[in-house]
Amino acid sequence: MIGGWRLDEETRGFDPETPNVARLYDYYLGGKDHFPADREAAERILAVAPELRAAARANRAFLGRAVRHLAEAGIRQFLDIGTGLPTQENVHQVAAKVAPGSQVVYVDLDPVVMVHARALLADQGGTAVIQGDLRKPDEILNNPEVTRAIDFTRPVGVLLVAVMHFIAESERPQEIIATLRDAMAPGSYLVVSHGTSDSRAAAADKGTEVYRNASAALTLRSRKRIMELFDGFDLVDPGLVWLPEWHPESADTIDFIDGPESSLILCGVGRKA
């Protein structure tokens, strides 16, 4: 059992002794779906970077603002890759407030995430959940459930929120995004948030060390390198900024005493012309 959920044959082989990136994020957000190994690893990072809890909330708030922005711009279909464990204000819920009937496909590699997501979304119309690996974008794009739900001849919102920093340089992150971009119709949007090495060196070093022994290693990138991931997209104002700086709203203001850079994560939204 995890967080009151019973794990079945779909999750056999998962290792509760290895810190898991989805469960670490859940812990930062104050969730309940994590094991002692996850809590221990998270606390090692929080000892150096206590603002990480606020950063996780700010990242979630950015996702909500970005989805609303896209829905208000006319986007009615969303592909959320690396969705993580379900929480409050999931993409389909945010989109539905602006545009009821929007289609949302959630993609994640983690089998535990699959169990949670499928259970919670079983009765939700307009949503699908598939298991997929961002490092194999063609397989995601050609998955029958994806092609049933999303018409790539029409604009789509592709969400890569707090996931690209788990893709190593050797895994060719720019080629991954280029594959997604080439499948997207003009007028589509790319939403990215990404941990950066440009802020809080001690926190960056500790985070990289801890995640090296987790289910996915952490690759923090510079602002310049993150900007390169938006090749082929026009950045929506205000560009690539710290989490609290992207279209801030009073309803989800999170105070970072040491300034917005202590959110540790840069974010941006690009539009394909």
Side-chain angles (χ1 to χ4, degrees):
M1 300 278 288
I2 175 173
W5 296 82
R6 184 173 298 281
L7 305 180
D8 57 19
E9 64 278 358
E10 188 175 3
T11 60
R12 284 177 185 166
F14 90 100
D15 181 7
E17 302 301 322
T18 297
N20 173 277
V21 297
R23 299 194 303 261
L24 286 166
Y25 188 56
D26 179 73
Y27 183 76
Y28 303 143
L29 288 171
K32 62 183 184 306
D33 299 316
H34 38 71
F35 290 102
D38 306 308
R39 296 190 285 274
E40 179 183 351
E43 288 296 340
R44 288 171 60 199
I45 301 175
L46 290 167
V48 177
E51 64 270 39
L52 189 54
R53 288 189 187 277
R57 296 198 307 275
N59 185 68
R60 194 73 191 173
F62 161 69
L63 171 63
R65 297 196 303 274
V67 169
R68 282 194 295 276
H69 183 94
L70 268 58
E72 289 167 357
I75 298 298
R76 298 294 180 265
Q77 45 185 7
F78 299 83
L79 181 61
D80 183 7
I81 305 176
T83 183
L85 289 161
T87 181
Q88 298 299 313
E89 292 294 285
N90 295 294
V91 172
H92 69 282
Q93 295 167 317
V94 176
K97 291 179 181 178
V98 178
S102 294
Q103 296 288 317
V104 180
V105 178
Y106 294 101
V107 183
D108 206 286
L109 184 60
D110 190 322
V112 176
V113 170
M114 291 294 98
V115 170
H116 285 249
R118 285 172 176 152
L120 288 173
L121 301 175
D123 299 323
Q124 298 291 327
T127 65
V129 181
I130 71 160
Q131 191 164 20
D133 188 342
L134 179 56
R135 293 167 296 187
K136 301 174 182 178
D138 282 315
E139 292 185 8
I140 293 173
L141 294 169
N142 294 313
N143 183 287
E145 290 191 63
V146 173
T147 56
R148 270 196 299 270
I150 294 180
D151 177 2
F152 285 100
T153 68
R154 296 170 45 236
V156 60
V158 174
L159 314 177
L160 301 177
V161 176
V163 66
M164 286 304 297
H165 47 228
F166 296 118
I167 302 295
E169 284 296 315
S170 62
E171 294 168 324
R172 301 180 177 181
Q174 210 152 350
E175 290 185 20
I176 290 171
I177 291 182
T179 299
L180 295 170
R181 182 192 66 225
D182 290 348
M184 297 161 67
S188 295
Y189 289 83
L190 175 71
V191 177
V192 174
S193 65
H194 197 303
T196 180
S197 52
D198 289 355
S199 174
R200 295 293 313 279
D205 289 346
K206 176 57 71 173
T208 302
E209 173 195 329
V210 170
Y211 277 90
R212 193 175 296 122
N213 297 313
S215 59
L218 188 64
T219 299
L220 300 177
R221 295 183 169 91
S222 67
R223 175 186 291 270
K224 179 178 181 296
R225 182 68 183 113
I226 297 170
M227 277 291 295
E228 291 172 352
L229 300 180
F230 282 98
D231 282 354
F233 295 91
D234 298 323
L235 276 171
V236 172
D237 286 340
L240 184 64
V241 295
W242 299 106
L243 290 171
E245 297 176 327
W246 200 89
H247 292 264
E249 297 175 0
S250 58
D252 59 19
T253 296
I254 296 171
D255 185 27
F256 290 94
I257 296 173
D258 295 328
E261 66 274 11
S262 60
S263 67
L264 309 173
I265 295 174
L266 289 167
C267 64
V269 175
R271 184 179 185 274
K272 182 176 176 179

